[in-house]
Amino acid sequence: MRQVVVTISQASDGTFWCSTEEDVYGGGLTAAGRSVKEAKEDLMVCLEEAKADFAEQGGTPEQVSFLFKYDLQSFFDYFSFLNITDIARRAGINPSLMRQYARGLKTAGEKTYNRLSACMTAITAELQAAAF
């Protein structure tokens, strides 16, 4: 199974866009929605249509899985159950500034993204080690 990276970002009009970073079944895939969930659903429709077209043209479609890369706005839209303030504190970022990043009012720099990435890696490890 081939893994394809999909970048998810919020456009200036508030819509969310998914786009593959490489061709899938002969072309790149792009999808949109009012939420990340809608954009991902649209991406799956595009994938099935591209797969059907590829097969019609005589190709043998391979199995594809997606690895999703989010910008801050799309991440907190999709994972809305996460508390932005608590994540900011864990990452050593001012919570008020973090909320502005999440709304797209300000743009986070590379250092901030690195802090958030490290924080999310730690949270992921904690969740994977948890049991009920």
Side-chain angles (χ1 to χ4, degrees):
M1 180 178 299
R2 183 167 65 113
Q3 188 171 59
V4 176
V5 176
V6 175
T7 301
I8 304 174
S9 58
Q10 186 177 32
S12 60
D13 67 357
T15 58
F16 293 91
W17 287 83
C18 296
S19 54
T20 58
E21 292 188 1
E22 60 187 87
D23 287 351
V24 179
Y25 305 130
L29 302 178
T30 304
R34 290 178 303 214
S35 67
V36 173
K37 183 178 185 232
E38 284 183 12
K40 282 183 163 186
E41 289 169 355
D42 189 37
L43 180 68
M44 298 313 293
V45 170
C46 291
L47 176 68
E48 290 306 313
E49 290 173 354
K51 186 177 183 179
D53 288 346
F54 188 72
E56 264 183 33
Q57 296 172 9
T60 305
E62 62 184 321
Q63 292 295 318
V64 174
S65 67
F66 293 128
L67 172 67
F68 296 100
K69 288 176 40 178
Y70 300 85
D71 68 2
L72 284 174
Q73 297 85 10
S74 60
F75 180 83
F76 285 107
D77 175 80
Y78 192 70
F79 297 100
S80 60
F81 57 88
L82 295 173
N83 185 303
I84 294 171
T85 300
D86 287 344
I87 290 173
R89 286 187 183 127
R90 285 179 75 141
I93 299 168
N94 178 297
S96 177
L97 186 57
M98 181 68 177
R99 286 188 292 276
Q100 292 176 32
Y101 293 150
R103 289 189 192 111
L105 301 174
K106 294 213 178 204
T107 304
E110 184 178 349
K111 185 176 178 182
T112 301
Y113 270 101
N114 290 340
R115 282 177 157 175
L116 286 171
S117 179
C119 179
M120 293 312 299
T121 299
I123 290 170
T124 300
E126 288 177 35
L127 288 171
Q128 289 176 333
F132 288 94

